[in-house]
Amino acid sequence: MELQPMDGKTFRFYCCGPTVYGPAHIGNFRTFVLQDVLRRALETGGMPTLHVRNLTDVDDKTIRESQRAGKSLKDFTTLWTLKFHQDCAKLNCHAPHIEPSAVEHIPQQITMIQELVDKKNAYASDDGSVYFDIASFANYGKLSRLDERDLELGRTQAQRANADEYEKQSVSDFVLWKSRRPEDGENFWQSPWGEGRPGWHLECSAMIREYLGDSFDLHSGGVDLVFPHHENEIAQSKCACGGDFAHSWFHIAHLMVDGGKMSKSLCNLYTLEDLATHGWTAMEVRYVLLSGHYRKPLNFTFDSLHAAREAMTKLAKSAQQLADKSSSLAELNSVDFGPFQSAWNTLHDDLNTPGALGGLFTGMRDAAKLEGEDAAKALAALNRILRALGITLPDVSQSIVDIPAEVKTLAEERWAARTAKNWALSDVLRDQLATAGWIVKDNKDDYELIPK
Ligand code: AMP
Ligand code: ZN
C-alpha cells in the first residue's frame, strides 16, 4: 500500500513510546529503528512528516520500579528517559517531533474518561476505578481478529482487567482509571472518581487526540501491542472522539535471541551498553536490526553482528572508491537512482530493508564501472539511500588512501592467485607484501591490508 497523507501535506503518525523504567533492549530498538526508517524513507522521498511518540512514565511497572530504586517517580523516569534518548542518538534515530509524557497529560485523560462515562461506554466501580465496557463497542476485536482466535470472550462486567498488561488469553473490560491503592505511594491524582491514576491504554488515546486529532495516517508499535493495547486504544478513541482513528497500522515483528523470546529471566536480553562492552557499535546493531523484514521475527546472534561489520566495511570501501573516481560532488535531486534504483524501489516496497541492503551491494557492482560525473551521481544516490536507512558507514578513507599503488597491485595479484587456488603464488605474493610492510587478512569475499 502506498502511504499518502490524508491532509495531502504531512504524513502524521503515532508510535507507542518506551516505558521508562529501565534500559530499552535491542528488541525495543528493532521497533524504534524501523519506525525511524519509515519516517526517513518518507522524508527522503520528499514527504514531510509529523512523528509523535509518547513516554510511558506512569504505569504499574514505572511505579513499582521507582519504589524499588527508592526514587520519586519523576526522578526515576527522567533518568531512564535520558538514557533512552542517548541510546536513540547512538542508533541515529531522529527524535520525534513531539514527545508527550503521560504524566503531563493527566487532565486530557480525565476529560476523555468523563466523555466515555457520559456516553455510557465506561462505568465506575465501587472502589472508584473506571472501566471500559467492551460490550458497548461493536467493533471491539477487529484489529486483532479476536473472532477468528480461540480466546475467551468475557463480555460481562464481572470480568475486568485492572493491570496495565493483562492476561492476553482472556478478553475483558479494561481499566481507564485506577483508584488509589497503598502500593501506589504518592503517585495519584484527583479525579471525579476520587484519587487514582490513569490506565496505560488510555494514556496513548488522550495524547493522540491532543496532537493528531481523531483521525491520522498511521499508528505503530511492536506486534505485542496489537492486543490488547491497540485494540483498547481504538475502542476508547473511537467512542470518545468519533473519528476514524488510525488509517493504517505498522506493527513490527519481534527480535528474538537464539531463536527464542528475549526476556530478563532467560538472561538473553541485550542493551546497547552490553554490546558496546563486547566492542560492537550502535551502528552495527542498527544494521543487524535492518537485516530482516519487519513482518517477520528476526533472530539476533553475534554472527549477525560480525556479518554487519563485514558488510558495512565492504560498503564503505566501495563508496570510498566511488568517491575517488567522482569528478565532482553531485547533489541528487532527480528521481534517477542509477545503479541504486532497485535498492530505492525495494525500500519503498513495504519497507523491505533487507532487500534494500542487498540492493546496495548489487548497485555497487554496477557503480564500480562508472567514472567522473556518472560516479558522482551514483555516489549521491547511494548516500541518499543510506540516509533513508539511517546508516553511517565507517571511515575507511585512511586505509585506502595510505596504501601505495604498487602494494595494491601486489595485493590484487595475490587475491587473483588465491581465487584461482594457486596457493604457491599466493604465498610468494603474501611474503612480498610482508616485506613491503603489509599483512593480508582474508575475508570471505575480499581481503584487507593492514600495515605491520
Ligand atoms: P515498552 O518499553 O515495553 O513499552 O516497549 C517499547 C516498544 O518495544 C513497543 O512498541 C513494544 O512493542 C516493542 N518491543 C518489545 N519487545 C520487542 C521485541 N523483542 N522486538 C521488537 N519490538 C519489541
Ligand atoms: Zn500506545
Side-chain angles (χ1 to χ4, degrees), residues 334-367:
S334 71
V335 285
D336 177 11
F337 281 77
F340 297 103
Q341 192 66 53
S342 127
W344 176 258
N345 294 350
T346 309
L347 179 63
H348 286 76
D349 178 9
D350 197 21
L351 211 68
N352 183 349
T353 52
L357 290 175
L360 293 183
F361 286 93
T362 32
M364 277 305 193
R365 274 205 291 279
D366 294 338

Side-chain angles (χ1 to χ4, degrees), residues 4 6-7 11-16 52 54 112 116 137 139 142-143 174 200-221 225-226 228-251:
Q4 288 298 338
M6 54 197 273
D7 68 0
F11 191 84
R12 299 173 311 123
F13 69 109
Y14 183 87
C15 304
C16 293
V52 184
N54 76 299
M112 197 170 211
L116 290 169
F137 181 56
N139 280 337
K142 229 177 163 185
L143 178 76
F174 57 91
W200 168 46
H201 311 297
L202 185 94
E203 296 174 358
C204 282
S205 281
M207 289 184 272
I208 287 172
R209 181 192 221 175
E210 180 80 4
Y211 297 102
L212 296 171
D214 59 18
S215 306
F216 56 102
D217 294 304
L218 178 138
H219 194 325
S220 175
L225 298 190
V226 177
H229 185 56
H230 288 161
E231 203 67 77
N232 293 354
E233 282 187 28
I234 294 172
Q236 299 156 157
S237 294
K238 285 203 172 182
C239 290
C241 316
D244 295 340
F245 201 55
H247 271 202
S248 37
W249 291 86
F250 176 36
H251 285 118

Side-chain angles (χ1 to χ4, degrees), residues 37 40-47 330-337 340-341 343-344 347-348 360 376-391:
V37 175
R40 285 168 172 275
L42 291 170
E43 289 179 351
T44 43
M47 189 187 292
E331 252 314 302
L332 183 93
N333 294 317
S334 71
V335 285
D336 177 11
F337 281 77
F340 297 103
Q341 192 66 53
W344 176 258
L347 179 63
H348 286 76
L360 293 183
K377 277 190 190 155
L379 185 63
L382 169 71
N383 285 335
R384 186 148 157 203
I385 301 173
L386 289 172
R387 243 190 352 264
L389 291 166
I391 295 280

Side-chain angles (χ1 to χ4, degrees), residues 1-278:
M1 178 178 58
E2 192 161 336
L3 296 175
Q4 288 298 338
M6 54 197 273
D7 68 0
K9 286 186 247 152
T10 305
F11 191 84
R12 299 173 311 123
F13 69 109
Y14 183 87
C15 304
C16 293
T19 311
V20 277
Y21 72 109
H25 54 68
I26 56 170
N28 300 131
F29 281 119
R30 180 180 198 202
T31 288
F32 297 128
V33 164
L34 262 298
Q35 291 163 345
D36 183 62
V37 175
L38 173 76
R39 171 174 162 184
R40 285 168 172 275
L42 291 170
E43 289 179 351
T44 43
M47 189 187 292
T49 68
L50 176 64
H51 176 193
V52 184
R53 186 183 65 209
N54 76 299
L55 292 167
T56 300
D57 54 358
V58 54
D59 77 329
D60 297 347
K61 289 190 280 197
T62 44
I63 291 178
R64 189 186 62 224
E65 295 304 318
S66 65
Q67 288 167 346
R68 276 195 192 151
K71 287 191 169 17
S72 72
L73 184 65
K74 172 107 184 101
D75 285 353
F76 183 73
T77 55
T78 302
L79 186 104
W80 288 114
T81 300
L82 188 71
K83 176 79 182 123
F84 176 69
H85 288 165
Q86 287 168 344
D87 283 355
C88 284
K90 284 184 196 152
L91 282 164
N92 202 20
C93 287
H94 284 315
H97 299 106
I98 306 177
E99 192 177 45
S101 113
V103 165
E104 283 161 22
H105 293 76
I106 303 284
Q108 290 90 332
Q109 294 165 53
I110 292 177
T111 304
M112 197 170 211
I113 298 171
Q114 186 63 62
E115 285 173 8
L116 290 169
V117 171
D118 293 345
K119 292 182 176 177
K120 308 240 174 309
N121 294 113
Y123 58 92
S125 64
D126 294 341
D127 72 342
S129 292
V130 182
Y131 290 86
F132 187 90
D133 174 9
I134 58 168
S136 74
F137 181 56
N139 280 337
Y140 191 83
K142 229 177 163 185
L143 178 76
S144 55
R145 302 203 183 96
L146 277 184
D147 52 347
E148 293 171 22
R149 293 157 61 196
D150 190 19
L151 292 180
E152 184 194 332
L153 210 61
R155 287 178 181 255
T156 68
Q157 295 191 359
Q159 255 181 306
R160 289 182 197 142
N162 189 275
D164 282 329
E165 283 172 272
Y166 52 84
E167 185 43 60
K168 297 211 189 319
Q169 290 310 311
S170 73
V171 183
S172 47
D173 288 356
F174 57 91
V175 73
L176 302 173
W177 184 262
K178 294 173 168 221
S179 62
R180 184 181 172 191
R181 296 184 177 187
E183 58 267 31
D184 291 340
E186 291 310 300
N187 304 303
F188 64 89
W189 289 264
Q190 300 295 338
S191 82
W193 312 279
E195 292 170 341
R197 61 183 169 97
W200 168 46
H201 311 297
L202 185 94
E203 296 174 358
C204 282
S205 281
M207 289 184 272
I208 287 172
R209 181 192 221 175
E210 180 80 4
Y211 297 102
L212 296 171
D214 59 18
S215 306
F216 56 102
D217 294 304
L218 178 138
H219 194 325
S220 175
V223 76
D224 55 311
L225 298 190
V226 177
F227 180 84
H229 185 56
H230 288 161
E231 203 67 77
N232 293 354
E233 282 187 28
I234 294 172
Q236 299 156 157
S237 294
K238 285 203 172 182
C239 290
C241 316
D244 295 340
F245 201 55
H247 271 202
S248 37
W249 291 86
F250 176 36
H251 285 118
I252 295 103
H254 270 185
L255 183 74
M256 319 291 278
V257 173
D258 295 328
K261 194 174 151 47
M262 265 201 305
S263 84
K264 271 193 185 145
S265 53
L266 293 174
C267 295
N268 63 0
L269 190 154
Y270 295 105
T271 63
L272 284 189
E273 214 163 291
D274 297 334
L275 296 174
T277 58
H278 290 97

